[in-house]
Amino acid sequence: MKFILLGTGPGLPNLTQNQSGLYVGVNGKNLLFDCGEGTSQQLLKHDLAGETLDAVFISHYHPDHVSGLFMVLQMLYLQSRQKPLQIFLPERPAFMMEILQFLYTFPPRFAYPIQILDCHEAELYHEEVSSALSDHLRGYTEFITANQLPNPMNSYSFRIASEAGDLVYTSDLGTMDSIMNLVRDCHTVIADAIHPEAGQVLKLQYAGVKRILLNHGISPELERALAENPLPLFEFAHEGQIYSIEQ
Ligand SMILES: [Zn+2]
């Protein structure tokens, strides 16, 4: 399996990082997890545009994880892509067709069919991909309840299996505890290092994993803890680097 972090930046944009995006090549498939701003350029840079991608998985609907999707779909349309594209969404998939219509990117005009699916169905279509709901969006509970909003607060983490070892992409998290069953004994974790408390991220050293890539920025608390007590399992994720998990 090989993977490339197309965007390692936090939700607050900066000049040196793109927003969330992860390319994974596994079992002859080309998968994209999250699609923040800058993803279309990153796909071009790494020769992953046109007919390459098989499926896109969106972990949750914060703009730094989904705002690039619309430019990717427009780019593939303008590139005359023909191959069907699956888009796995975290919640309310029917809304996506309305948003595309709102944006004048009408799927019936695309030369490539798009298939809108739900993240919890990922494994049915891709046996190497499993998904688990995390607690990332749970902080909105009070606001959503008080305002009687329909948002289901779904946010997913993903595990991608290969013979040489598995990769977990946590996307954003409230706590590592909420997805510990998904993470345990995988080879590499791409971990949200900014939202969970430092102790939650540091727990990964006991999860039987071989490499922890700190992603999406880093909280001052975690940065301090790792400066005082460096742990070789933990490294910063490098945007654009080609990583691999090999036997
Ligand atoms: Zn985020």
Side-chain angles (χ1 to χ4, degrees):
M1 167 171 12
K2 72 167 186 171
F3 62 94
I4 306 171
L5 279 150
L6 305 177
T8 56
L12 178 64
N14 64 55
L15 293 176
T16 57
Q17 292 168 299
N18 287 294
Q19 310 281 201
S20 296
L22 166 69
Y23 160 76
V24 180
V26 62
N27 299 339
K29 295 177 181 180
N30 296 296
L31 310 176
L32 177 64
F33 294 86
D34 279 340
C35 210
E37 203 169 86
T39 302
S40 51
Q41 290 99 321
Q42 288 289 78
L43 292 174
L44 287 170
K45 189 170 165 184
H46 295 280
D47 201 19
L48 298 168
E51 305 286 334
T52 305
L53 292 178
D54 296 293
V56 182
F57 301 80
I58 302 294
S59 65
H60 65 291
Y61 288 146
H62 273 151
D64 53 316
H65 296 258
V66 72
S67 62
L69 178 63
F70 310 105
M71 278 311 302
V72 168
L73 296 180
Q74 174 167 303
M75 173 175 75
L76 299 181
Y77 162 64
L78 294 172
Q79 289 179 327
S80 307
R81 176 186 166 108
Q82 306 275 322
K83 193 169 91 173
L85 181 69
Q86 295 175 332
I87 305 174
F88 290 85
L89 298 173
E91 58 190 38
R92 297 197 284 173
F95 254 134
M96 185 54 69
M97 298 310 266
E98 283 189 44
I99 296 170
L100 292 174
Q101 183 191 328
F102 176 80
L103 295 173
Y104 289 77
T105 42
F106 302 106
R109 299 186 73 225
F110 295 177
Y112 63 102
I114 60 171
Q115 187 180 14
I116 302 282
L117 298 156
D118 201 295
C119 284
H120 73 72
E121 301 175 290
E123 209 166 355
L124 295 175
Y125 293 85
H126 301 280
E127 59 180 5
E128 52 282 272
V129 180
S130 38
S131 63
L133 281 170
S134 83
D135 58 359
H136 174 53
L137 298 176
R138 290 286 141 194
Y140 295 108
T141 305
E142 204 176 313
F143 181 84
I144 283 172
T145 309
N147 292 281
Q148 297 181 306
L149 299 174
N151 305 57
M153 297 180 278
N154 288 353
S155 183
Y156 282 89
S157 303
F158 299 95
R159 181 166 177 144
I160 305 102
S162 76
E163 273 185 23
D166 296 1
L167 173 68
V168 168
Y169 170 57
T170 70
S171 186
D172 295 4
L173 295 175
T175 63
M176 201 58 70
D177 290 340
S178 68
I179 58 151
M180 219 23 131
N181 288 338
L182 188 80
V183 170
R184 202 158 279 123
D185 298 323
C186 73
H187 181 285
T188 299
V189 189
I190 300 167
D192 175 3
I194 203 165
H195 294 104
E197 287 179 2
Q200 284 285 316
V201 181
L202 292 170
K203 267 188 187 183
L204 286 173
Q205 64 189 300
Y206 308 113
V209 310
K210 293 190 167 59
R211 176 170 57 185
I212 299 148
L213 298 175
L214 301 169
N215 189 41
H216 212 35
I218 186 164
S219 66
E221 188 196 4
L222 182 60
E223 197 167 22
R224 223 172 14 249
L226 287 171
E228 281 168 16
N229 182 23
L231 297 165
L233 270 182
F234 291 82
E235 35 180 299
F236 282 103
H238 289 289
E239 191 169 304
Q241 183 175 324
I242 301 173
Y243 289 94
S244 60
I245 298 178
E246 281 166 8
Q247 265 162 339

